[in-house]
Amino acid sequence: MILDADLTHDAFLGGLVHIWQPKKGYRAGTDPVMLAASVPAQSGQSVLELGCGAGTAALCLHTRVAGLRLVGVEVQSLYATLAARNAAGTSADMRVITSDLRDLPADLRQERFDHVIMNPPYFDRAKGDASADQGRDLALGGDTPLADWLGVGIRRVGPKGYLTVIQKIDRLPDVMAAIRGRLGSFVLRPIASTPTSAANLFLLRARQEGHAPMRICPPLIMHDGNRYTPEVEAILRNAAELSMDH
């Protein structure tokens, strides 16, 4: 059990949503907000987030698009408890399941969703050292291969549904290898810190039964000098959509 004194209650989307999360360990930043902003969800649809943490991405999506049915899966019981608490605090229709994504409950394995979203651990555990903080280590490295994350997610995408992923740019070949031949209509948007820096992250959307040619959008630039760019500012402060169409 964790006490409120060991948590922070942080504002996202300009204060439209607040998230309880640990002071120490993995803490959500801008990446889950960008993920949520890129999902083309519509009211009445269903969304599954694998590795939902404290619920930041799912609840930012709920704030932008009302009337969604959300399911979050999180292996760490502390974060799953916080996700459920945060969902209740935003009156979101969100069911949180504490489970290893490789061993989902039988009823969830029977469900398919309009959208599956994920922010898998960025670092390959086989190529780096573990963090001293278990929560941070699982969130950033974990012991579940990226291909397993994607395989589980793909199986939960319903007809004409979408999978949306945010990941480090050097993992793009791994992501494409896991998805190619199983989903289609790929849309890729790189993310770069500044106009002159190389992309360090990417957003990828793929569709069940999609047959459109792959599209690569211009990079999303996060900063212009010491400020967020207008596009990013609108996403972070006003719950604007992140376009994947240009």
Side-chain angles (χ1 to χ4, degrees):
M1 180 177 178
I2 191 167
L3 302 176
D4 283 359
D6 298 319
L7 305 173
T8 59
H9 198 210
D10 301 309
F12 290 83
L13 304 182
L16 294 174
V17 61
H18 287 79
I19 300 293
W20 290 100
Q21 55 182 342
K23 287 181 179 178
K24 297 180 180 179
Y26 173 74
R27 291 174 53 79
T30 60
D31 295 357
V33 183
M34 295 296 154
L35 172 63
S38 72
V39 178
Q42 299 178 12
S43 182
Q45 290 187 328
S46 58
V47 180
L48 170 67
E49 183 179 8
L50 296 178
C52 68
T56 306
L59 297 176
C60 284
L61 179 54
H62 154 80
T63 300
R64 180 170 62 86
V65 182
L68 297 175
R69 181 176 66 85
L70 305 168
V71 176
V73 174
E74 174 54 46
V75 69
Q76 300 187 74
S77 59
L78 165 61
Y79 286 89
T81 298
L82 291 174
R85 178 180 182 180
N86 291 327
T90 57
S91 300
D93 178 7
M94 182 174 179
R95 177 165 56 113
V96 180
I97 299 168
T98 306
S99 173
D100 188 315
L101 61 87
R102 295 167 295 184
D103 188 27
L104 296 177
D107 60 338
L108 185 57
R109 294 199 302 270
Q110 303 305 311
E111 291 188 62
R112 299 178 77 187
F113 296 81
D114 297 301
H115 300 274
V116 176
I117 67 175
M118 63 177 73
N119 180 12
Y122 285 163
F123 302 103
D124 186 343
R125 170 55 61 241
K127 298 180 180 179
D129 296 327
S131 169
D133 183 278
Q134 183 181 23
R136 181 176 175 81
D137 181 63
L138 281 174
L140 298 181
D143 61 357
T144 302
L146 182 57
D148 288 355
W149 279 80
L150 294 163
V152 171
I154 290 167
R155 290 192 291 274
R156 302 278 65 78
V157 179
K160 303 292 186 180
Y162 293 93
L163 172 73
T164 306
V165 182
I166 188 168
Q167 184 56 242
K168 283 185 65 186
I169 197 72
D170 61 3
R171 306 299 302 275
L172 179 58
D174 300 327
V175 172
M176 293 300 298
I179 298 179
R180 187 179 289 112
R182 305 175 72 182
L183 301 176
S185 299
F186 296 101
V187 182
L188 175 70
R189 187 155 192 199
I191 302 174
S193 295
T194 70
T196 58
S197 61
N200 59 333
L201 299 173
F202 67 88
L203 284 159
L204 182 72
R205 177 193 300 164
R207 193 172 194 185
Q208 185 69 259
E209 304 171 37
H211 301 290
M214 181 173 181
R215 290 190 294 109
I216 301 179
C217 304
L220 172 70
I221 306 301
M222 294 292 294
H223 299 96
D224 184 4
N226 295 324
R227 301 179 179 180
Y228 287 120
T229 60
E231 181 178 8
V232 171
E233 184 76 16
I235 292 166
L236 295 178
R237 309 300 181 214
N238 303 317
E241 181 180 0
L242 192 164
S243 175
M244 296 283 281
D245 296 323
H246 65 266

